[in-house]
């Protein structure tokens, strides 16, 4: 099903285990509770798609477009999201543990109560993201952009954020502008 046009398709609770949907157009598709475990979704367009509570464990989403997508409660453990666009996505309570998000764009996304523990965020853009209640155990924040982000409600330390870009960033220790 590579490069398939599946715009607006209704796939609630569908089993797409190890599916190859590379380059497909799934804008505004309904994939709530879908099983996309270990699927190849590179460069797939999920803009404004509903992936609420979907299982994307070990899925390859490198370069995927998930702008304004609903991934509330989605499981993305060990997923590859290098250079994925998650701008303005609803990522509340999503599980990104052990995921790779190198150079991913998560700007203005809602990551309330999300788990990013043990993930690699190197070079990711988290500017303006809502990170209230998110967990960040052993995360690589090298060159992560936190411009205009409120981190004051997190338990992150200055040591953890030492290699991050902090500009107009509210931190637990005050306003930080070291990366402007």
């Amino acid at each position: 099903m590579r490069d398939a046009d599946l715009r607006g398709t209704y796939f609630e609770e569908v089993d797409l285990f190890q599916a190859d949907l590379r380059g497909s157009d799934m804008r505004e598709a309904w994939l709530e509770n879908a099983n996309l475990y270990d699927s190849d979704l590179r460069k797939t367009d999920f803009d404004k798609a509903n992936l609420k509570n979907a299982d994307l464990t070990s899925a390859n989403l490198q370069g995927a477009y998930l702008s304004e997508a609903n991934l509330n409660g989605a499981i993305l453990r060990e997923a590859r999201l290098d250079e994925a666009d998650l701008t303005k996505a609803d990522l509340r309570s999503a599980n990104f543990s052990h995921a790779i998000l190198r150079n991913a764009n998560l700007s203005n996304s809602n990551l309330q109560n999300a788990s990013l523990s043990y993930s690699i965020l190197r070079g990711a853009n988290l500017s303006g993201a809502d990170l209230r209640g998110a967990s960040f155990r052993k995360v690589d924040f090298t060159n992560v952009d936190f411009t205009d982000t409120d981190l004051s409600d997190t338990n992150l330390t200055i040591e953890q954020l030492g290699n991050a870009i902090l500009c107009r960033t509210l931190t637990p220790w005050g306003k930080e502008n070291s990366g402007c």
Side-chain angles (χ1 to χ4, degrees), residues 31-51:
L31 293 148
E32 192 168 322
N33 298 307
N35 179 13
L36 290 154
Y37 188 102
D38 200 29
S39 292
D40 192 342
L41 306 167
R42 287 177 284 173
K43 304 267 186 197
T44 298
D45 191 345
F46 286 106
D47 284 352
K48 298 180 182 172
N50 182 3
L51 291 147

Side-chain angles (χ1 to χ4, degrees), residues 116-135:
L116 292 143
S117 295
Y118 303 99
S119 61
I120 298 171
L121 288 166
R122 188 178 292 256
N125 182 353
L126 284 156
S127 60
D130 186 344
L131 299 166
R132 289 177 288 169
S135 60

Side-chain angles (χ1 to χ4, degrees), residues 56-70:
L56 293 145
T57 301
S58 300
N60 188 343
L61 289 143
Q62 293 180 34
Y65 304 97
L66 294 135
S67 181
E68 297 184 55
N70 179 0

Side-chain angles (χ1 to χ4, degrees), residues 3 8 12 19 22 27 42 49 74 77 97 99 105 116 135 139 156-157 159 162-163 165 175-177 180:
D3 300 312
E12 186 169 6
R22 281 179 280 176
R27 288 176 288 168
R42 287 177 284 173
R77 283 189 316 261
S97 60
N105 186 353
L116 292 143
S135 60
V139 174
L156 295 171
T157 65
E159 290 79 20
N163 293 317
I165 300 164
K175 192 168 189 174
E176 185 69 51
N177 286 304
C180 292

Side-chain angles (χ1 to χ4, degrees), residues 14 18 25 64 162 172:
V14 69
Q18 293 184 332
D25 185 349

Side-chain angles (χ1 to χ4, degrees), residues 86-89 91 105-111 127-131:
L86 293 127
T87 306
K88 296 182 182 177
L91 305 168
N105 186 353
L106 295 113
S107 61
N108 299 303
S109 290
N110 186 344
L111 286 145
S127 60
D130 186 344
L131 299 166

